[in-house]
Each structure stands twice: as structure tokens, then as C-alpha cells.
Amino acid sequence: MSRPLRFIPAGGALVEVTCRTIHSRFLLRPGELINEIIVGVLGRAQRMYPTRVCGYVFVSNHLHLILDVADAHQLACFMRYVNSNLARKVGRLVGWRDKIWSRRYQAIVISSEPAAQIERLRYCLAHGVKEGLVEKVEQWPGVHCAKSLLTGEPAVGYWFDQTQEYTARRRGEKFELRRYASREVLVLSPLPCWKHLSDAVRRQLVVEMIADIEAEAALHRRNSGSQVLGAAAVRGQHPFDRPARPKRSPAPLFHAFSKRVRLELWVAYAWFVACFRHASAKLRNGDRTAPFPAGSFPPALPFVPG
């Protein structure tokens, strides 16, 4: 089955990016060093390809990012850098020699409706708690945006320069872990629907959201009689292990709150696809001047800017 065309509405949009590890293995299992690597790669990507990051969470076998992007090209550059560097660094750290990601990242456009944007942030914040891994959001041992949202402080990680490390080893040099590492900062931006609010109001909204998530999870545990796995057990999982029954569910093309807005996004996407296919047919017939729609990636041709 072919992938959907990469589509960002004109003027930019908020998108939720998801990417799963191969076979759903726990290759992203939380730990102090891998957390520093993940934040370092994200911070460096943000610095090189200025992108507004509004939320993020990394669990053992997949990631979620909420990004505010100008177009599909900015998103592609940012995610190419993140996924390629994480694949190399994580694979080296855990000793995995195959590919890390099961497939290309999936970017789902989130509508401009406040309810839709808040719901996706809540979904991000709930990771770790909703699966019954920890009781409270703050107990998740992996990379999570909750701390930065509550404190207003950016996350700090490290970029480990493998080229310099390799050269040093060739020289026979023994060096400390961070000898050739540089500090990187990952800055969070507010959701577009929260830009007009003060920092204090945004923090209070996040506090209430987290309290609701934890109360809902606690009620579910009481009704089902289940217990949380615990942060220590999460850290103790082997990176090559995988869940017995990985969650598999079809992802929507858009996240929208109302049927009307969802239909508008579908109509815009349908028009985009029709224009792309029409131009592709002309290109296959030898017309290299075929007009592709703005924001698209023509086959073997440069990105078409807006």
C-alpha cells in the first residue's frame, strides 16, 4: 500500500509526528544516556532547522512529536535529521545492527481548533500513565515534555560527536564520556491556540490536564485491579524485547474536533492529490514543466515552495 502524499495546508500547520521502532522493540528504552542523546539530537535539529516544538514524548518503542511547521519541506528536513541521527546513535548504544525505525515517520495534521490541539497535547502527556507503566506523569523515566511545560525550563541534552570520538580512539586516546560532547537545548513553544495566554495560565492548564490524566488512570486501575509496571521495571527491559501484542490501529489523516473542519481538510487534501496526479501524468509523458501544487515533492524534482 502506497503512503499518503505529504501534505501541509497553505500557511503551515500543527502536526503530530509518530514513528515506531522496528518490530516495536524497546530500542528507545529510557535511561540516563539515551535520554541525553534524544534531547541532544532534538535540540540540535531545532537549532539547524528552526522548528517550533510544542510537545514530545519518547516511550520504549515509539515517539510522538507535536510540531508547528511552515511547510512539508521544513518538516521533512527536521525529521530526516532527527530520525537518521537517532538511528545511528541508538543503534550504536544498544548494539542493534539492523534498521531502527519500522518505516518513515507519519505526520498527522492537527486542525486550528483549540479543542483538537489541546486533545493531542493531552494524549502526549498521558503516555506512560495511560498504558499502566507509571502512576504519575512525572514518574516516567524517559524523555517527556511535561517537566518543561510545568517549569518553563528547556530540556538539556548532549550531542555526542562520533567523528571526533572515532578519531580519538584511532589515536589510542582514552577519554571521558562527554569529552567530545556539546550541550544542546530543546526549547518548547506554546500551542498556537495558547499563544495569547500568559506562562502562568498555560502552566495551570497543564497542571489540571495532568491531574485529570492521573485520576482517570487511577480509576481504571481500581476497576480492573491492575498494577503499574513501575519506572524501575521499564528501565530494566531489554532493548531487543518487544510487547507480546503490539498496539496496531489505523491512524487518521487529520485530527479535527468538528466534522465540518475535518471535511474542509479532506477537500483540501483531495484537491492537492488531484493536482499532483495530473502533474505527474504530464511529467511521465515528458513534460518537465508540469505545474505541481505548492508544498509538494515532485518525483526526482525539487520541492515546490508555497
Side-chain angles (χ1 to χ4, degrees):
M1 181 178 177
S2 61
R3 301 188 186 100
L5 292 179
R6 286 178 282 189
F7 170 71
I8 301 295
L14 194 67
V15 296
E16 180 182 359
V17 177
T18 62
C19 198
R20 186 171 294 274
T21 58
I22 188 168
H23 308 148
S24 293
R25 297 185 187 272
F26 300 141
L27 299 171
L28 302 175
R29 177 201 62 184
E32 181 180 356
L33 182 55
I34 195 171
N35 291 352
E36 291 179 345
I37 289 173
I38 290 171
V39 175
V41 169
L42 284 174
R44 190 176 179 89
Q46 187 182 55
R47 181 164 55 83
M48 296 181 68
Y49 305 99
T51 302
R52 297 182 71 253
V53 179
C54 301
Y56 55 85
V57 62
F58 283 71
V59 292
S60 298
N61 60 9
H62 68 280
L63 64 87
H64 289 272
L65 302 172
I66 299 179
L67 308 175
D68 190 1
V69 297
D71 53 35
H73 186 259
Q74 182 188 44
L75 174 62
C77 290
F78 181 88
M79 288 307 303
R80 180 185 63 226
Y81 191 87
V82 168
N83 278 1
S84 62
N85 280 284
L86 282 181
R88 286 191 292 269
K89 294 179 183 297
V90 171
R92 177 190 181 203
L93 178 65
V94 303
W96 182 258
R97 296 183 180 276
D98 202 347
K99 65 178 185 177
I100 294 292
W101 308 112
S102 62
R103 59 181 180 179
R104 190 177 72 189
Y105 67 89
Q106 187 170 30
I108 304 173
V109 173
I110 304 172
S111 77
S112 58
E113 300 165 290
Q117 296 182 8
I118 293 169
E119 192 275 333
R120 298 322 297 170
L121 179 61
R122 186 186 191 280
Y123 179 77
C124 238
L125 289 170
H127 273 70
V129 174
K130 69 181 180 66
E131 299 88 353
L133 300 175
V134 292
E135 290 183 359
K136 297 184 178 298
V137 171
E138 64 184 16
Q139 294 173 344
W140 177 247
V143 175
H144 202 302
C145 63
K147 183 177 179 180
S148 292
L149 287 172
L150 292 172
T151 65
E153 297 296 326
V156 176
Y158 289 90
W159 169 263
F160 293 86
D161 193 323
Q162 294 179 213
T163 301
Q164 291 192 44
E165 291 177 354
Y166 173 77
T167 303
R169 283 194 295 270
R170 294 274 293 181
R171 294 195 302 264
E173 177 185 337
K174 294 183 179 180
F175 53 89
E176 296 179 351
L177 177 63
R178 295 185 180 84
R179 173 66 177 83
Y180 297 105
S182 55
R183 187 173 179 267
E184 296 287 350
V185 177
L186 175 59
V187 180
L188 266 184
S189 299
L191 293 172
C193 67
W194 281 0
K195 285 183 179 179
H196 65 287
L197 303 177
S198 66
D199 293 342
V201 171
R202 287 197 295 264
R203 280 196 289 271
Q204 183 57 36
L205 290 172
V206 172
V207 168
E208 294 172 359
M209 196 182 298
I210 290 176
D212 183 56
I213 290 168
E214 293 172 350
E216 184 177 310
L219 178 61
H220 174 74
R221 289 195 301 272
R222 284 197 299 271
N223 293 337
S224 63
S226 60
Q227 299 291 327
V228 298
L229 183 63
V234 171
R235 288 192 295 264
Q237 292 172 324
H238 194 282
F240 296 176
D241 287 344
R242 54 181 174 176
R245 296 179 181 177
K247 180 183 177 183
R248 297 291 182 187
S249 58
L253 190 61
F254 306 108
H255 288 305
F257 183 73
S258 67
K259 183 177 180 180
R260 177 185 62 80
V261 173
R262 185 177 293 106
L263 179 61
E264 288 175 355
L265 289 170
W266 268 106
V267 168
Y269 178 68
W271 176 88
F272 179 83
V273 171
C275 291
F276 188 93
R277 288 178 176 172
H278 181 69
S280 294
K282 286 188 173 182
L283 183 62
R284 285 194 299 270
N285 291 329
D287 183 5
R288 294 183 61 85
T289 63
F292 281 84
S296 66
F297 291 88
L301 292 175
F303 174 76
V304 180

